[in-house]
Amino acid sequence: MAATLGRARRLLAAVPESVMFELVNTDSPSLMVMGLGYTVCVLVGQKPTWPLSQHILTSRKFLDGLMRLNPEDVKPNRRVIAKRLMTTQALGEMAASDGHAACVALAFWLSLLLGLPPAHS
């Protein structure tokens, strides 16, 4: 699991800031992108909003800090909410079928961090 989480971190770290910026630079994001952003907001203990999601996902410094998280670092109540967001919207599967590198990498990392089976491996 640790090796796979490390791989997910490397995939996410390899996404250029410009690609992440293009993904979230919209007032009308797709359900998948918004769901992934909201899941990250929950992980950091913030109320999910699109402006906050945009800020988090386009801040390389913030993402680098998040990528240092291990599954045991996620508070149990946040884990439950984040898992629910990922599974009820099938975000991992949506990202895998969409194929956008940033979405695939983010969904892969979130899935492994939350103990969910990744849709992309």
Side-chain angles (χ1 to χ4, degrees):
M1 171 73 125
T4 308
L5 188 56
R7 180 171 168 239
R9 287 178 177 135
R10 287 189 300 278
L11 283 173
L12 187 55
V15 175
E17 284 182 77
S18 60
V19 171
M20 195 65 86
F21 183 79
E22 287 174 19
L23 181 70
V24 300
N25 190 24
T26 179
D27 292 331
S28 305
S30 70
L31 178 63
M32 172 190 53
V33 172
M34 190 170 11
L36 292 170
Y38 283 12
T39 303
V40 172
C41 288
V42 168
L43 285 178
V44 298
Q46 297 296 313
K47 180 180 177 183
T49 66
W50 182 237
L52 180 59
S53 297
Q54 287 175 303
H55 173 73
I56 290 171
L57 295 177
T58 57
S59 170
R60 178 52 66 183
K61 186 175 181 178
F62 203 96
L63 280 177
D64 287 347
L66 276 177
M67 285 188 284
R68 290 189 199 104
L69 284 177
N70 290 305
E72 61 274 7
D73 298 329
V74 180
K75 292 185 178 184
N77 60 328
R78 293 179 189 170
R79 178 186 306 279
V80 168
I81 296 167
K83 276 183 161 181
R84 192 175 308 136
L85 281 168
M86 288 290 291
T87 56
T88 58
Q89 300 298 325
L91 296 175
E93 292 81 1
M94 286 172 64
S97 66
D98 176 77
H100 190 287
C103 292
V104 170
L106 187 56
F108 184 45
W109 173 75
L110 284 167
S111 294
L112 291 173
L113 185 68
L114 295 170
L116 297 169
H120 172 270
S121 53

